[in-house]
Amino acid sequence: MSWSRLFMGFSSLFQVAFMAVPHHSQETSYLLPPDPEDWEKQGTLDFVYGQEDLVGKEIQWPRDSPSAMDTVPLSRFDSALRSAWRQRLELGLFRYRLEDLQTQILPGSVGFVAQLNIERGIQRRRPQNIRSVRQEFDPEQFNFNKIRPGEVLFRMQREPKDPATPKQEDDVLVVINVSPLEWGHVLLVPAPAQGLPQRLLPGVLRVGLEAVLLSLHPGFRVGFNSLGGLASVNHLHLHCYYLAHPLPVEGAPSTPLDPKGCIHLLQALPAPGFLFYTSGPGPDLEVLISRVCRATDYLCDREIAHNLFVTRGAPPGPTSSTSDLSGIRVILWARKSSFGIKESGAFNVALCELAGHLPVKTSQDFSSLTEAAAVALIQDCLLPETQAGEVRAALVALMAQEEL
């Protein structure tokens, strides 16, 4: 069986498994009441979790056949998210009904996962008028305080049992993305009433990392687009979604950029990114959050657009494998700023495209897309080599300050 047909099987079976979420009576239900007039009265329910719910190891892609995807166990988080998301789909709260997406693995050495998603290209909300990576929040523009009550699935609520665990200071809502990339596509929105601009903060990054650790699915990913990095809404949010396919970034080799191994450079990919890694929950997770946010603060302060992707993956090193998902990889790309609607090209380059997942907008582009064409589109968005080298040196210097 070819890799393309194998992964097509993964996708179809994943959708069946997604739709067949069991409901356990002892668990909180995050479903909306039958009468839409009661949706707002119900309020936002909490998904409460603790350290014991975070799974750092023993998550793997099925090795034998596509049918093995149907046996991937569900965590409490997976069940809550999937059942609530599926109900909102049935209620018509999305801009389009997401069907099983036609998927292919582009021939070549990279392993791009291309998916045909025509409706997203047509129906998604028009991006806001953004002119700066540091643009302030504008309450007159669309923001997540304006969404319908039914679009909120639940609120993430950390239950700290260890005094060393940082207290979650702000509400983080899990909201459907009404123009989904894939099944289960949601947004993490921290303290929406505060009107935070799209600039990464430690609190929401922590919840994003914990969401990956709460899921037992190897393809549950989290990401962030800065302003100028194709964020379409200037109101702080992260993307989360399931993709039933391994991606190149999970096991791509890397080299350390500093003696302590705080930051690595991802190699053998069209878009070299800065790699941060942790083996799982615990003190190292907080260290990673601090390093990543210092890096993104540096980029914001200098008007450098960026994208970030979080996935289970292999430890840093010269040789890795997508079969090794023993920790969490956070990949950060500095890139050219891009403002406004971009219609040229088979796909737009943001967090998932840089990671190797290519949502393609038209059937013609999907059938004709090659690895070489995809690489060219992605590399056209990267910083010039001189500026990339300056950013690399600056981030290494930032990591060195941690030791002082």
Side-chain angles (χ1 to χ4, degrees), residues 184-201:
H185 189 174
V186 295
L187 306 173
L188 298 180
V189 183
Q194 291 186 23
L196 300 169
Q198 184 68 349
R199 179 168 179 160
L200 191 63
L201 294 176

Side-chain angles (χ1 to χ4, degrees), residues 248-255 264 266-268 275 277 313-326 329:
V249 292
E250 293 174 19
S254 64
T255 55
H264 295 74
L266 213 56
Q267 297 181 319
L275 172 64
Y277 177 84
T319 57
S320 300
S321 168
T322 54
S323 65
D324 183 358
L325 304 180
S326 56
R329 284 187 163 204

Side-chain angles (χ1 to χ4, degrees), residues 145-372:
N145 295 308
K146 299 183 178 184
I147 63 176
R148 296 166 290 182
E151 294 179 29
V152 180
L153 303 187
F154 47 80
R155 175 172 43 229
M156 299 290 283
Q157 190 63 251
R158 186 72 146 89
E159 185 183 57
K161 293 184 178 179
D162 182 346
T165 302
K167 182 178 181 295
Q168 183 178 313
E169 296 179 354
D170 300 322
D171 291 342
V172 177
L173 301 184
V174 179
V175 176
I176 62 170
N177 188 322
V178 294
S179 302
L181 282 167
E182 249 289 10
W183 288 83
H185 189 174
V186 295
L187 306 173
L188 298 180
V189 183
Q194 291 186 23
L196 300 169
Q198 184 68 349
R199 179 168 179 160
L200 191 63
L201 294 176
V204 71
L205 176 58
R206 180 179 299 109
V207 175
L209 290 163
E210 290 178 341
V212 173
L213 291 166
L214 284 168
S215 175
L216 294 181
H217 195 287
F220 183 77
R221 277 65 176 246
V222 169
F224 171 84
N225 295 322
S226 79
L227 300 180
L230 268 65
S232 60
V233 176
N234 185 17
H235 194 184
L236 182 55
H237 63 283
L238 302 186
H239 291 265
C240 310
Y241 69 105
Y242 294 90
L243 180 68
H245 309 281
L247 289 174
V249 292
E250 293 174 19
S254 64
T255 55
L257 293 178
D258 68 303
K260 297 284 187 179
C262 300
I263 183 170
H264 295 74
L265 185 66
L266 213 56
Q267 297 181 319
L269 292 176
F274 299 108
L275 172 64
F276 302 84
Y277 177 84
T278 179
S279 58
D284 287 349
L285 193 69
E286 293 304 313
V287 173
L288 180 146
I289 291 166
S290 173
R291 289 170 180 168
V292 171
C293 287
R294 283 191 290 129
T296 56
D297 283 348
Y298 170 88
L299 296 174
C300 276
D301 290 343
R302 285 151 185 83
E303 284 286 339
I304 300 172
H306 48 282
N307 306 96
L308 180 140
F309 195 80
V310 182
T311 183
R312 292 187 184 270
T319 57
S320 300
S321 168
T322 54
S323 65
D324 183 358
L325 304 180
S326 56
I328 300 295
R329 284 187 163 204
V330 179
I331 303 102
L332 173 66
W333 292 275
R335 45 90 53 85
K336 295 176 185 174
S337 293
S338 177
F339 299 116
I341 300 175
K342 305 299 178 186
E343 298 298 346
S344 60
F347 54 84
N348 298 326
V349 179
L351 66 93
C352 59
E353 292 82 2
L354 289 164
H357 173 210
L358 313 178
V360 181
K361 295 176 281 189
T362 70
S363 297
Q364 181 178 351
D365 284 331
F366 182 76
S367 61
S368 63
L369 185 62
T370 64
E371 180 178 273

